[in-house]
Amino acid sequence: MSSGSGADSAPAPTTHETLAEEPATGTRKSSMFSSLKVRNYRLFFMGQVVSNIGTWMQRIAQDWLVLSLTGSATAVGVTTALQFLPMLLFGLYGGVLVDRLPKRRTLLFTQSAMALTGIALAALTLSGHVQVWHVYVAAFAVGLATVLDNPARQTFVSEMVGPDQLQNAVSLNSANFQSARLVGPAVAGVMITGVGTGWAFLFNGLSFVAPLAGLLLMRSRDLHAVRRAPRGKGQLREGLQYVAGRPELIWTIVLVGFVSTFGFNFPVYLSAFADDVFHAGAGSYSLFNTLMAVGSLAGALLAARRGTARMRVLVAGAVAFGTMEIVASMAPSLWLFALLMAPIGMFGMTVNVTANSSVQMSTDPAMRGRVMALYMMVFMGGAPIGAPIAGWITDAYGVRAGLAAGGAVSAAAAVTVGLVLARMGNLRLSVGWNHGHPSVRFVPREARELATVA
């Protein structure tokens, strides 16, 4: 339970509340950048702007260096796998530790560790002594730091801004990351071509000075303190039981698992569309990714304007995301396909932001580290499972069938989860008109029945 002010210790919303229309008394309007008024979060956000650009630069430089050293795309895949492997193996245990530890001190440790990794890789590369196993070790080390850094960073947001600004802050974090996704690879490309990969690693290592300074400059008295979990046995099992007993958590995580595993395999799909379908080369692949990043940024900023994270928004966003993938799979021309990347990115980000903030706001603060670790493990762990499946479907039946299948699974999962939650919450689907516009929403059965009688 929370020891600070606000509603952090309020009970989690029921299924009825998460799907049904929000009452007028609970409706909040939020400006797009309202959480930046909080000094501690503003320091955090500015530090992440610099660090995220460095992170994207290192990703590009790391892949290029491995390819240069080995000439093997498989080796690049191994590097990526090593970076995500620790989260799959130890992610849940990381959540247990994060619930016990002070979040700011944990982030100071993890961010410092990642900074040192980047600087070490820069030193090896600039001195000409780098070997591929060095990159493997560095990738695995970053992955180990991420086991603690990811849930700590996710849960620390609520301590900085409190429950009222949580959705806005989560959305701005996503916008921050997507902005860096537009800038970082471009800067990395220029730097690698001009001075080499070692300088990109060095920039990433030094970029962590910004978030570390932000963490050190924060005012402890302004943080929304939460009770940390005491050290004890069975805390991992306790966290899993906590999620299993709350439909609004377990079904959100299930939906995110399906969408991330089957719908987010864009490295497989986009490269195949660029090369095999439109025969347009690397330039079009870059265009597809850029337009998707623009859409994702727009989706994150639109989510920042919403004051609450509602389950119906998550379900509708996932249905729209899957539907747009199916439409894109049938696009007859390169430019139409490219234009569809923007709404796909926007709806995909709507799913990501809404699920993230919904899970955090529905979780007891003392459990948040474990729950967010499970959420991130499912979200990030979908790629190693889904990518081979997407690749097999693409090889066997063509990339159009692969993208359509991924969209169909995502949309079907969203519809199924929506109907399950509606049934559990005694809700019915209401289709009608609201101020001259079509309206689709879940309403309590009693309200629908009373309206019919009246």
Side-chain angles (χ1 to χ4, degrees), residues 170-200:
V170 170
S171 302
L172 289 183
N173 283 349
S174 298
N176 189 330
F177 189 74
Q178 293 304 322
S179 299
R181 181 181 173 188
L182 293 173
V183 177
V187 175
V190 173
M191 187 171 288
I192 291 170
T193 302
V195 294
T197 56
W199 292 101

Side-chain angles (χ1 to χ4, degrees), residues 165-256:
Q165 295 290 345
L166 181 58
Q167 159 108 5
N168 183 265
V170 170
S171 302
L172 289 183
N173 283 349
S174 298
N176 189 330
F177 189 74
Q178 293 304 322
S179 299
R181 181 181 173 188
L182 293 173
V183 177
V187 175
V190 173
M191 187 171 288
I192 291 170
T193 302
V195 294
T197 56
W199 292 101
F201 294 136
L202 182 61
F203 180 93
N204 178 56
L206 295 178
S207 73
F208 284 97
V209 171
L212 288 170
L215 289 166
L216 291 171
L217 290 171
M218 287 181 185
R219 297 171 181 159
S220 299
R221 66 178 181 273
D222 292 340
L223 295 173
H224 296 249
V226 298
R227 178 178 61 86
R228 296 202 301 269
R231 184 181 180 88
K233 294 182 178 179
Q235 290 182 321
L236 176 57
R237 182 174 64 253
E238 182 185 10
L240 295 174
Q241 290 173 342
Y242 179 86
V243 173
R246 284 159 177 78
E248 71 278 0
L249 293 180
I250 187 65
W251 288 108
T252 297
I253 293 173
V254 166
L255 177 54
V256 166

Side-chain angles (χ1 to χ4, degrees), residues 49-108:
V49 168
V50 180
S51 180
N52 283 336
I53 292 174
T55 297
W56 277 106
M57 289 177 64
Q58 174 141 332
R59 286 188 183 186
I60 301 299
Q62 180 176 274
D63 291 348
W64 186 261
L65 176 60
V66 171
L67 194 61
S68 301
L69 290 172
T70 65
S72 169
T74 301
V76 177
V78 170
T79 308
T80 303
L82 285 171
Q83 191 158 327
F84 286 102
L85 184 62
M87 178 60 73
L88 292 176
L89 295 178
F90 312 118
L92 292 177
Y93 295 98
V96 171
L97 289 175
V98 165
D99 277 337
R100 296 176 184 171
L101 299 172
K103 309 297 186 296
R104 185 158 62 143
R105 292 180 187 175
T106 302
L107 288 172
L108 285 169

Side-chain angles (χ1 to χ4, degrees), residues 80-81 84-85 88 260-261 265 377-389:
T80 303
F84 286 102
L85 184 62
L88 292 176
S260 64
T261 300
N265 295 301
M377 190 178 73
V378 170
F379 180 74
M380 297 172 65
I385 299 172
I389 297 175

Side-chain angles (χ1 to χ4, degrees), residues 15-153:
T15 306
H16 178 107
E17 292 168 334
T18 54
L19 276 176
E21 200 68 40
E22 186 177 13
T25 56
T27 302
R28 296 193 304 272
K29 288 188 177 180
S30 174
S31 67
M32 189 172 288
F33 303 101
S34 59
S35 56
L36 289 176
K37 297 176 183 177
V38 180
R39 179 182 181 275
N40 283 344
Y41 179 71
R42 189 164 61 247
L43 290 168
F44 176 84
F45 183 88
M46 290 188 295
Q48 290 300 308
V49 168
V50 180
S51 180
N52 283 336
I53 292 174
T55 297
W56 277 106
M57 289 177 64
Q58 174 141 332
R59 286 188 183 186
I60 301 299
Q62 180 176 274
D63 291 348
W64 186 261
L65 176 60
V66 171
L67 194 61
S68 301
L69 290 172
T70 65
S72 169
T74 301
V76 177
V78 170
T79 308
T80 303
L82 285 171
Q83 191 158 327
F84 286 102
L85 184 62
M87 178 60 73
L88 292 176
L89 295 178
F90 312 118
L92 292 177
Y93 295 98
V96 171
L97 289 175
V98 165
D99 277 337
R100 296 176 184 171
L101 299 172
K103 309 297 186 296
R104 185 158 62 143
R105 292 180 187 175
T106 302
L107 288 172
L108 285 169
F109 169 76
T110 58
Q111 299 279 293
S112 298
M114 288 189 279
L116 291 174
T117 301
I119 292 172
L121 201 53
L124 288 167
T125 306
L126 292 173
S127 66
H129 293 96
V130 70
Q131 299 179 39
V132 68
W133 71 267
H134 294 143
V135 186
Y136 288 165
V137 171
F140 190 76
V142 170
L144 284 175
T146 302
V147 168
L148 287 178
D149 186 80
N150 237 320
R153 193 157 29 87

Side-chain angles (χ1 to χ4, degrees), residues 263 266 269-270 273 292 316-331 336-348 400 403-412:
F266 296 114
Y269 299 138
L270 299 189
F273 265 96
M292 183 172 291
V319 170
F321 171 78
T323 302
M324 292 305 300
E325 283 198 330
I326 295 172
V327 172
S329 72
M330 300 181 285
L336 179 58
F337 182 83
L339 290 174
L340 288 170
M341 292 301 101
I344 287 175
M346 183 179 70
F347 289 123
R400 291 188 184 274
L403 182 58
V409 171
S410 299

